[in-house]
Amino acid sequence: MGIWLCRVAVANPLFHRKMNLIRGIQPTRICYASQAVELLPSLYPGTGVIVRDAKLEDCWEVADTHCSSFFPGYKFPLDLVLRLDRYIALLSGFSVPPGCTRSCLVAVNPTAANSAISIECGDLRDAEFHGKYSLSKGSVAGILTVDTVADFLPRRGRLKQRRTGIAYIANVAVRKEERRKGIAKMLVAEAEERARSWGCRSVALHCDVSNLAALRLYKSQGYKSIRVPEDAKWPAPKIDQSVRYEFMMKLVPKS
């Protein structure tokens, strides 16, 4: 899914179960969403930006970046609920089928980092109440997930077997103040490197056709639109019936 595309559940019946999972989590340096660890993060010269796997301490910033990008109009308390839901999902981890891999990548801009933690409260009885809070260090500039689960790829044969050798990109988001700096391009490039290291021969994604900036980005990076027959019933993100998606792919050359 392209920039501004992915959605998360506002609340779901698994919320309390996720809370129980958090209580049993042992401290670790790597976010559970990252099934493969990049020991040597990629530094992009001239920008100071580092692209690496998300760590445990990045989870709130990942959730905040995701929600501020995909749900910019949501107000308190719903925006806080969305962030908590996403945060819990990151902590509890994303289960993947045997043989599949998923990584959550973050673009870190050290120059934007700060240690401010502020919570501004008001009277909940006031109709004009607007809650303000910030638990982020401010260093995560963008996020992306890449996996080989193939949930949004057509299955093979009569047995509907899962596709292999294809990586899928989703959840591409860049903070508003960090846009137009090439960060999304850095994340996509790193995702392609991951796909290559996993032995994938191509990378696929869905992009909202109304998101012209995302379409331009992917096309400039060599992604081609794949025509999907109307009666093919290929799997696609079920977010909003009014949203139309462009299915795109790119071959990953062997190193």
Side-chain angles (χ1 to χ4, degrees):
M1 287 173 278
I3 306 170
W4 300 89
L5 183 55
C6 184
R7 300 288 190 271
V8 294
V10 173
N12 58 64
L14 297 178
F15 185 87
H16 295 292
R17 186 182 302 175
K18 291 178 179 178
M19 289 297 293
N20 291 331
L21 286 171
I22 288 179
R23 297 188 185 100
I25 290 176
Q26 299 298 320
T28 181
R29 292 188 58 81
I30 302 299
C31 173
Y32 283 93
S34 297
Q35 303 297 321
V37 180
E38 180 73 2
L39 298 178
L40 296 174
S42 298
L43 172 64
Y44 287 81
T47 66
V49 173
I50 297 173
V51 177
R52 57 167 171 77
D53 284 278
K55 299 178 182 179
L56 184 62
E57 57 264 33
D58 300 320
C59 284
W60 179 261
E61 286 194 83
V62 171
D64 186 51
T65 302
H66 182 279
C67 295
S68 63
S69 296
F70 301 132
F71 304 97
Y74 280 50
K75 303 298 183 183
F76 185 88
L78 187 55
D79 59 341
L80 179 57
V81 173
L82 283 169
R83 283 161 173 78
L84 288 172
D85 185 77
R86 181 65 174 170
Y87 179 68
I88 292 168
L90 287 165
L91 288 178
S92 59
F94 300 120
S95 60
V96 296
C100 297
T101 305
R102 175 181 284 124
S103 286
C104 177
L105 302 178
V106 293
V108 178
N109 184 356
T111 61
N114 65 76
S115 301
I117 298 179
S118 61
I119 299 178
E120 181 179 323
C121 299
D123 190 343
L124 288 173
R125 295 170 297 180
D126 186 352
E128 298 299 322
F129 171 78
H130 295 288
K132 296 181 180 179
Y133 49 86
S134 176
L135 300 177
S136 299
K137 294 180 295 182
S139 59
V140 171
I143 60 175
L144 175 152
T145 58
V146 57
D147 62 57
T148 58
V149 180
D151 279 339
F152 298 113
L153 299 176
R155 298 299 180 97
R156 297 185 305 172
R158 295 180 180 180
L159 298 179
K160 303 296 182 180
Q161 295 177 316
R162 191 182 300 275
R163 295 274 174 175
T164 59
I166 304 175
Y168 187 83
I169 289 177
N171 303 328
V172 185
V174 177
R175 286 186 177 277
K176 186 176 181 179
E177 62 273 17
E178 297 287 352
R179 291 171 190 163
R180 301 184 183 278
K181 297 180 181 179
I183 290 175
K185 186 181 295 185
M186 298 175 199
L187 287 162
V188 171
E190 183 62 24
E192 292 172 1
E193 285 298 320
R194 295 299 177 89
R196 183 181 291 107
S197 70
W198 297 339
C200 295
R201 61 182 180 276
S202 58
V203 180
L205 56 89
H206 281 89
C207 185
D208 183 346
V209 296
S210 65
N211 190 344
L212 300 181
L215 286 172
R216 285 195 297 268
L217 167 67
Y218 296 130
K219 289 180 179 179
S220 70
Q221 296 303 104
Y223 286 83
K224 305 295 184 183
S225 297
I226 306 298
R227 182 180 177 276
V228 179
E230 294 183 1
D231 58 347
K233 296 182 179 179
W234 283 21
K238 303 295 183 182
I239 299 172
D240 188 330
Q241 296 297 327
S242 64
V243 177
R244 292 177 54 245
Y245 306 104
E246 193 86 9
F247 181 68
M248 310 180 78
M249 293 190 73
K250 175 183 178 178
L251 293 178
V252 178
K254 294 182 179 180
S255 55

